[in-house]
Amino acid sequence: ALAFTLTFTFIVTPFVIIFGFLIAITVNAISSYLKGLVIFFSLLPFVVTQLIGALVLFWMIDSRGILGSAVQWLASDPNLSLKASTGVMWVSLIIYGIWHAAPFAFVIFYAGLQTLPQDQIEAAKIDGASDLVIFFQIMMPLAKPAVVTVAIIYFVWIFNDFMWPLISVSYTHLRDHETRHD
C-alpha cells in the first residue's frame, strides 16, 4: 500500500498540475461565449463522485468493457484480464487520479490567472515578446504560489485517501502480534 501511495503521489501530482494549468490557460484564452461550456465540461470529472468514476473505470477495463476488449483484441488473447494485472491496475488508477483531480487544479490556476497583473503582460507584448516568453518569463513566475498551493493540497488529499488502508494494515498486524504474545 505504501509503494502504491508513493508511486501514485509522485506520478499523479505533476500531471494534475500540468493538465490543470493547461486547462486554465485554454479557458482563459477562449472567447467568452464558449467559456461557460468549456468550464462545465472541465469540471465534470471533479463533480462525478469517486464511486461512479471508479465503477465506470471498472466496467471499462472489464474483459467485456471498452478498454478490456480492445486490449484483448490487440493482444489476440481472449483470456487476457486487465483486472488480474497489478501493473495495469496501477496505471488505470493513476489515469483515473489525473482525470479526477485535474479540475481541482484548473479551478485554482484559473483563479490565479485572473489575478495576474495585466500591465506586465501588455508591456511585454508591446516590447515584442512572444507568447512563449510571456508564458515562461511572466506568467509562470507569478503562478508559483498557485502551483505550490495545488501541490500541497493534493499531497495532503492523496495521503488522506490512502492513509486509512495503511492504518488498518498496521493495526491488524499490531493486533495479531499482541494476540500471539498473550
Side-chain angles (χ1 to χ4, degrees):
L2 181 62
F4 176 75
T5 300
L6 293 174
T7 303
F8 188 88
T9 302
F10 290 108
I11 291 176
V12 172
T13 303
F15 280 105
V16 165
I17 290 170
I18 291 166
F19 287 136
F21 201 70
L22 290 175
I23 295 167
I25 289 171
T26 303
V27 169
N28 199 42
I30 63 174
S31 126
S32 61
Y33 296 112
L34 296 173
K35 219 171 255 199
L37 186 65
V38 173
I39 289 172
F40 170 76
F41 283 109
S42 298
L43 293 176
L44 202 55
F46 195 65
V47 174
V48 173
T49 64
Q50 290 184 357
L51 176 63
I52 293 172
L55 282 172
V56 168
L57 180 67
F58 179 80
W59 290 327
M60 286 175 60
I61 63 173
D62 187 63
S63 61
R64 295 167 296 186
I66 295 169
L67 296 177
S69 59
V71 170
Q72 285 177 342
W73 179 76
L74 287 171
S76 300
D77 185 0
N79 296 321
L80 182 64
S81 172
L82 295 178
K83 291 187 279 187
S85 169
T86 302
V88 173
M89 283 308 300
W90 279 31
V91 170
S92 300
L93 290 170
I94 286 169
I95 291 170
Y96 174 75
I98 294 168
W99 175 80
H100 179 71
F104 165 75
F106 153 67
V107 169
I108 302 294
F109 291 136
Y110 186 65
L113 288 175
Q114 303 307 305
T115 64
L116 291 181
Q118 294 300 313
D119 55 340
Q120 289 181 6
I121 296 171
E122 289 173 15
K125 286 180 182 178
I126 290 171
D127 289 341
S130 69
D131 288 339
L132 284 175
V133 169
I134 291 171
F135 177 75
F136 285 109
Q137 305 248 338
I138 297 173
M139 292 176 78
M140 284 303 294
L142 293 172
K144 281 182 186 177
V147 172
V148 170
T149 301
V150 168
I152 290 171
I153 290 173
Y154 197 65
F155 273 118
V156 170
W157 189 2
I158 289 174
F159 282 114
N160 189 35
D161 284 347
F162 292 109
M163 180 178 57
W164 294 111
L166 289 172
I167 290 172
S168 67
V169 167
S170 299
Y171 174 74
T172 304
H173 177 72
L174 182 64
R175 186 189 66 216
D176 291 347
H177 181 71
E178 288 176 355
T179 305
R180 279 187 255 140
H181 290 301
D182 288 341

